[in-house]
Amino acid sequence: MNNVVLIGRLTRDPEVRYTSGSQMAVASFTVAIDRPTRAGEEKKADFPRVTVFGKQAETCEKYLAKGRLVAINGRIQTGSYQNKNGDTVYTTDVVANRVEFLEWGDRPQGGGSNYRQEPARQAQPAQQYQQPQQSQPAEEMPDSFQAIDEDVPF
């Protein structure tokens, strides 16, 4: 099984390029993920490179910016290449199957990293989700949700 789930913040705006044949979008970015530490230890972080393909890559380019919190579900992929000195360089990347934006807001025109976050649309971490409220008495319901007295045929 090769499955990875990460939550972290972008270290820079995503870079998008297009494949030569099919013109498929390919987005690349790096995510900062804190390592668990004990009390008194210096904080450490990992910075995995993430690659996203297709329409999802274009969406990442449009809405993600440096500092945004994202959740990534994907797989680990390793590779290697020869650098200019002829040395073999080994790589480890996360190929994303799914990217969820945990913070929302309009990405500024011009690609800067200062963005306007809209708290009303911001997703909350799973631990902070509230249980749905129990049904309210009819006098507190909006008019459009009032009970219908006639029989419904289902």
Side-chain angles (χ1 to χ4, degrees):
M1 178 185 313
N2 183 355
N3 189 31
V4 62
V5 177
L6 304 171
I7 295 178
R9 295 192 179 274
L10 271 70
T11 61
R12 60 189 159 109
D13 292 350
E15 295 177 11
V16 175
R17 62 187 194 285
Y18 291 86
T19 59
S20 57
S22 64
Q23 291 298 304
M24 179 188 297
V26 180
S28 298
F29 53 89
T30 302
V31 178
I33 303 168
D34 291 332
R35 287 185 188 174
T37 58
R38 294 184 180 146
E41 286 185 354
E42 181 182 349
K43 282 190 169 185
K44 295 181 180 178
D46 292 304
F47 301 93
R49 186 173 50 205
V50 178
T51 304
V52 186
F53 293 95
K55 182 70 173 167
Q56 191 167 217
E58 293 171 347
T59 304
C60 287
E61 177 187 32
K62 185 175 180 181
Y63 294 107
L64 290 181
K66 178 180 178 179
R68 292 272 174 96
L69 187 66
V70 296
I72 297 157
N73 185 347
R75 61 184 170 84
I76 298 289
Q77 179 172 300
T78 60
S80 65
Y81 64 92
Q82 298 288 326
N83 67 8
K84 294 176 184 177
N85 299 331
D87 298 327
T88 302
V89 178
Y90 296 96
T91 62
T92 302
D93 297 316
V94 175
V95 177
N97 297 327
R98 181 176 175 185
V99 177
E100 288 194 28
F101 306 152
L102 301 181
E103 288 182 338
W104 282 91
D106 293 333
R107 182 171 172 180
Q109 300 301 320
S113 60
N114 294 328
Y115 62 89
R116 178 177 56 88
Q117 182 174 330
E118 299 174 7
R121 293 175 55 191
Q122 179 179 356
Q124 296 180 359
Q127 300 90 340
Q128 295 179 2
Y129 281 131
Q130 297 178 356
Q131 293 292 327
Q133 294 181 349
Q134 298 298 322
S135 59
Q136 300 176 352
E139 58 269 13
E140 293 180 21
M141 287 188 193
D143 291 339
S144 60
F145 291 104
Q146 292 296 327
I148 300 172
D149 289 334
E150 58 191 64
D151 289 337
V152 181
F154 55 81

mmCIF file of all heavy atoms in Angstrom, residues 120-144:
data_model
loop_
_atom_site.group_PDB
_atom_site.id
_atom_site.type_symbol
_atom_site.label_atom_id
_atom_site.label_comp_id
_atom_site.label_asym_id
_atom_site.label_seq_id
_atom_site.Cartn_x
_atom_site.Cartn_y
_atom_site.Cartn_z
ATOM 1 N N ALA A 120 -15.696 33.147 6.815
ATOM 2 C CA ALA A 120 -16.974 32.460 6.683
ATOM 3 C C ALA A 120 -16.849 31.188 5.859
ATOM 4 O O ALA A 120 -17.600 30.246 6.030
ATOM 5 C CB ALA A 120 -18.000 33.382 6.044
ATOM 6 N N ARG A 121 -15.877 31.133 4.941
ATOM 7 C CA ARG A 121 -15.725 29.969 4.075
ATOM 8 C C ARG A 121 -14.594 29.070 4.526
ATOM 9 O O ARG A 121 -14.301 28.073 3.898
ATOM 10 C CB ARG A 121 -15.466 30.425 2.635
ATOM 11 C CG ARG A 121 -16.656 31.117 2.031
ATOM 12 C CD ARG A 121 -16.341 31.667 0.672
ATOM 13 N NE ARG A 121 -15.830 30.659 -0.222
ATOM 14 C CZ ARG A 121 -15.282 30.938 -1.396
ATOM 15 N NH1 ARG A 121 -15.172 32.161 -1.808
ATOM 16 N NH2 ARG A 121 -14.834 29.982 -2.156
ATOM 17 N N GLN A 122 -13.927 29.408 5.611
ATOM 18 C CA GLN A 122 -12.779 28.636 6.070
ATOM 19 C C GLN A 122 -13.238 27.308 6.660
ATOM 20 O O GLN A 122 -14.114 27.263 7.502
ATOM 21 C CB GLN A 122 -12.015 29.426 7.121
ATOM 22 C CG GLN A 122 -10.812 28.684 7.663
ATOM 23 C CD GLN A 122 -10.070 29.521 8.677
ATOM 24 O OE1 GLN A 122 -10.403 30.663 8.910
ATOM 25 N NE2 GLN A 122 -9.074 28.948 9.295
ATOM 26 N N ALA A 123 -12.627 26.227 6.195
ATOM 27 C CA ALA A 123 -12.946 24.910 6.749
ATOM 28 C C ALA A 123 -12.336 24.785 8.128
ATOM 29 O O ALA A 123 -11.289 25.341 8.405
ATOM 30 C CB ALA A 123 -12.408 23.811 5.847
ATOM 31 N N GLN A 124 -12.973 24.044 8.983
ATOM 32 C CA GLN A 124 -12.458 23.836 10.316
ATOM 33 C C GLN A 124 -11.858 22.442 10.402
ATOM 34 O O GLN A 124 -12.346 21.518 9.769
ATOM 35 C CB GLN A 124 -13.588 23.961 11.339
ATOM 36 C CG GLN A 124 -14.189 25.342 11.384
ATOM 37 C CD GLN A 124 -15.295 25.409 12.419
ATOM 38 O OE1 GLN A 124 -15.609 24.437 13.072
ATOM 39 N NE2 GLN A 124 -15.879 26.580 12.552
ATOM 40 N N PRO A 125 -10.787 22.290 11.211
ATOM 41 C CA PRO A 125 -10.236 20.949 11.394
ATOM 42 C C PRO A 125 -11.295 20.012 11.955
ATOM 43 O O PRO A 125 -12.232 20.438 12.617
ATOM 44 C CB PRO A 125 -9.110 21.166 12.406
ATOM 45 C CG PRO A 125 -8.764 22.621 12.294
ATOM 46 C CD PRO A 125 -10.038 23.322 11.896
ATOM 47 N N ALA A 126 -11.128 18.731 11.716
ATOM 48 C CA ALA A 126 -12.129 17.736 12.082
ATOM 49 C C ALA A 126 -12.464 17.760 13.565
ATOM 50 O O ALA A 126 -13.590 17.522 13.953
ATOM 51 C CB ALA A 126 -11.658 16.344 11.677
ATOM 52 N N GLN A 127 -11.501 18.072 14.417
ATOM 53 C CA GLN A 127 -11.763 18.063 15.844
ATOM 54 C C GLN A 127 -12.722 19.183 16.250
ATOM 55 O O GLN A 127 -13.325 19.129 17.297
ATOM 56 C CB GLN A 127 -10.465 18.256 16.645
ATOM 57 C CG GLN A 127 -9.434 17.213 16.413
ATOM 58 C CD GLN A 127 -8.506 17.569 15.261
ATOM 59 O OE1 GLN A 127 -8.814 18.387 14.399
ATOM 60 N NE2 GLN A 127 -7.357 16.943 15.211
ATOM 61 N N GLN A 128 -12.850 20.229 15.452
ATOM 62 C CA GLN A 128 -13.658 21.369 15.833
ATOM 63 C C GLN A 128 -15.058 21.335 15.235
ATOM 64 O O GLN A 128 -15.823 22.258 15.418
ATOM 65 C CB GLN A 128 -12.970 22.661 15.416
ATOM 66 C CG GLN A 128 -11.660 22.872 16.157
ATOM 67 C CD GLN A 128 -10.966 24.141 15.723
ATOM 68 O OE1 GLN A 128 -11.455 24.888 14.897
ATOM 69 N NE2 GLN A 128 -9.796 24.386 16.285
ATOM 70 N N TYR A 129 -15.386 20.314 14.488
ATOM 71 C CA TYR A 129 -16.728 20.228 13.933
ATOM 72 C C TYR A 129 -17.734 20.098 15.062
ATOM 73 O O TYR A 129 -17.518 19.360 16.016
ATOM 74 C CB TYR A 129 -16.872 19.026 12.990
ATOM 75 C CG TYR A 129 -16.289 19.258 11.628
ATOM 76 C CD1 TYR A 129 -15.438 18.321 11.062
ATOM 77 C CD2 TYR A 129 -16.580 20.396 10.900
ATOM 78 C CE1 TYR A 129 -14.891 18.526 9.820
ATOM 79 C CE2 TYR A 129 -16.036 20.607 9.659
ATOM 80 C CZ TYR A 129 -15.203 19.678 9.113
ATOM 81 O OH TYR A 129 -14.672 19.881 7.878
ATOM 82 N N GLN A 130 -18.848 20.797 14.923
ATOM 83 C CA GLN A 130 -19.886 20.717 15.927
ATOM 84 C C GLN A 130 -20.942 19.744 15.469
ATOM 85 O O GLN A 130 -21.193 19.604 14.285
ATOM 86 C CB GLN A 130 -20.514 22.085 16.146
ATOM 87 C CG GLN A 130 -19.522 23.102 16.693
ATOM 88 C CD GLN A 130 -20.168 24.461 16.841
ATOM 89 O OE1 GLN A 130 -21.313 24.653 16.476
ATOM 90 N NE2 GLN A 130 -19.416 25.398 17.369
ATOM 91 N N GLN A 131 -21.563 19.103 16.449
ATOM 92 C CA GLN A 131 -22.650 18.202 16.123
ATOM 93 C C GLN A 131 -23.821 19.019 15.594
ATOM 94 O O GLN A 131 -24.053 20.127 16.053
ATOM 95 C CB GLN A 131 -23.097 17.439 17.379
ATOM 96 C CG GLN A 131 -22.060 16.473 17.892
ATOM 97 C CD GLN A 131 -21.864 15.319 16.931
ATOM 98 O OE1 GLN A 131 -22.791 14.887 16.269
ATOM 99 N NE2 GLN A 131 -20.636 14.834 16.837
ATOM 100 N N PRO A 132 -24.577 18.505 14.633
ATOM 101 C CA PRO A 132 -25.748 19.225 14.154
ATOM 102 C C PRO A 132 -26.730 19.427 15.303
ATOM 103 O O PRO A 132 -26.883 18.561 16.165
ATOM 104 C CB PRO A 132 -26.348 18.304 13.090
ATOM 105 C CG PRO A 132 -25.289 17.307 12.785
ATOM 106 C CD PRO A 132 -24.347 17.258 13.944
ATOM 107 N N GLN A 133 -27.381 20.578 15.282
ATOM 108 C CA GLN A 133 -28.339 20.872 16.336
ATOM 109 C C GLN A 133 -29.577 20.006 16.164
ATOM 110 O O GLN A 133 -29.945 19.656 15.056
ATOM 111 C CB GLN A 133 -28.727 22.341 16.292
ATOM 112 C CG GLN A 133 -27.569 23.257 16.625
ATOM 113 C CD GLN A 133 -27.997 24.716 16.592
ATOM 114 O OE1 GLN A 133 -29.088 25.039 16.135
ATOM 115 N NE2 GLN A 133 -27.137 25.579 17.076
ATOM 116 N N GLN A 134 -30.202 19.704 17.299
ATOM 117 C CA GLN A 134 -31.449 18.955 17.255
ATOM 118 C C GLN A 134 -32.513 19.837 16.632
ATOM 119 O O GLN A 134 -32.390 21.049 16.597
ATOM 120 C CB GLN A 134 -31.858 18.530 18.670
ATOM 121 C CG GLN A 134 -30.849 17.604 19.336
ATOM 122 C CD GLN A 134 -30.685 16.295 18.585
ATOM 123 O OE1 GLN A 134 -31.646 15.743 18.079
ATOM 124 N NE2 GLN A 134 -29.450 15.799 18.482
ATOM 125 N N SER A 135 -33.560 19.223 16.132
ATOM 126 C CA SER A 135 -34.606 19.992 15.469
ATOM 127 C C SER A 135 -35.151 21.050 16.415
ATOM 128 O O SER A 135 -35.323 20.818 17.601
ATOM 129 C CB SER A 135 -35.736 19.068 14.996
ATOM 130 O OG SER A 135 -36.279 18.392 16.106
ATOM 131 N N GLN A 136 -35.394 22.245 15.843
ATOM 132 C CA GLN A 136 -35.857 23.371 16.618
ATOM 133 C C GLN A 136 -37.378 23.398 16.634
ATOM 134 O O GLN A 136 -38.022 22.893 15.721
ATOM 135 C CB GLN A 136 -35.343 24.665 15.991
ATOM 136 C CG GLN A 136 -33.837 24.741 15.943
ATOM 137 C CD GLN A 136 -33.360 26.001 15.222
ATOM 138 O OE1 GLN A 136 -34.147 26.714 14.643
ATOM 139 N NE2 GLN A 136 -32.071 26.239 15.275
ATOM 140 N N PRO A 137 -37.970 24.004 17.641
ATOM 141 C CA PRO A 137 -39.419 24.158 17.641
ATOM 142 C C PRO A 137 -39.869 24.972 16.431
ATOM 143 O O PRO A 137 -39.137 25.809 15.927
ATOM 144 C CB PRO A 137 -39.701 24.924 18.938
ATOM 145 C CG PRO A 137 -38.471 24.769 19.777
ATOM 146 C CD PRO A 137 -37.338 24.496 18.844
ATOM 147 N N ALA A 138 -41.110 24.735 15.989
ATOM 148 C CA ALA A 138 -41.614 25.360 14.768
ATOM 149 C C ALA A 138 -41.592 26.872 14.837
ATOM 150 O O ALA A 138 -41.371 27.527 13.829
ATOM 151 C CB ALA A 138 -43.031 24.866 14.473
ATOM 152 N N GLU A 139 -41.755 27.487 16.016
ATOM 153 C CA GLU A 139 -41.805 28.940 16.085
ATOM 154 C C GLU A 139 -40.430 29.566 15.823
ATOM 155 O O GLU A 139 -40.349 30.738 15.483
ATOM 156 C CB GLU A 139 -42.391 29.425 17.418
ATOM 157 C CG GLU A 139 -41.652 28.955 18.646
ATOM 158 C CD GLU A 139 -42.206 27.636 19.180
ATOM 159 O OE1 GLU A 139 -42.985 26.949 18.482
ATOM 160 O OE2 GLU A 139 -41.851 27.271 20.303
ATOM 161 N N GLU A 140 -39.337 28.819 15.922
ATOM 162 C CA GLU A 140 -38.010 29.343 15.651
ATOM 163 C C GLU A 140 -37.560 29.073 14.220
ATOM 164 O O GLU A 140 -36.542 29.583 13.809
ATOM 165 C CB GLU A 140 -37.004 28.735 16.620
ATOM 166 C CG GLU A 140 -37.216 29.153 18.055
ATOM 167 C CD GLU A 140 -36.185 28.530 18.975
ATOM 168 O OE1 GLU A 140 -35.113 28.122 18.495
ATOM 169 O OE2 GLU A 140 -36.454 28.441 20.180
ATOM 170 N N MET A 141 -38.301 28.292 13.462
ATOM 171 C CA MET A 141 -37.911 27.960 12.096
ATOM 172 C C MET A 141 -38.272 29.094 11.148
ATOM 173 O O MET A 141 -39.285 29.753 11.335
ATOM 174 C CB MET A 141 -38.624 26.690 11.621
ATOM 175 C CG MET A 141 -38.110 25.444 12.237
ATOM 176 S SD MET A 141 -38.880 24.053 11.411
ATOM 177 C CE MET A 141 -38.443 22.770 12.503
ATOM 178 N N PRO A 142 -37.442 29.314 10.126
ATOM 179 C CA PRO A 142 -37.799 30.294 9.107
ATOM 180 C C PRO A 142 -39.081 29.856 8.391
ATOM 181 O O PRO A 142 -39.418 28.666 8.353
ATOM 182 C CB PRO A 142 -36.609 30.272 8.151
ATOM 183 C CG PRO A 142 -35.534 29.540 8.856
ATOM 184 C CD PRO A 142 -36.152 28.719 9.928
ATOM 185 N N ASP A 143 -39.785 30.818 7.787
ATOM 186 C CA ASP A 143 -41.050 30.537 7.116
ATOM 187 C C ASP A 143 -40.907 29.456 6.053
ATOM 188 O O ASP A 143 -41.789 28.632 5.870
ATOM 189 C CB ASP A 143 -41.619 31.807 6.473
ATOM 190 C CG ASP A 143 -42.079 32.798 7.536
ATOM 191 O OD1 ASP A 143 -42.328 32.356 8.677
ATOM 192 O OD2 ASP A 143 -42.167 33.996 7.220
ATOM 193 N N SER A 144 -39.793 29.445 5.340
ATOM 194 C CA SER A 144 -39.627 28.474 4.257
ATOM 195 C C SER A 144 -39.497 27.037 4.760
ATOM 196 O O SER A 144 -39.588 26.102 3.990
ATOM 197 C CB SER A 144 -38.411 28.840 3.407
ATOM 198 O OG SER A 144 -37.256 28.832 4.207
#
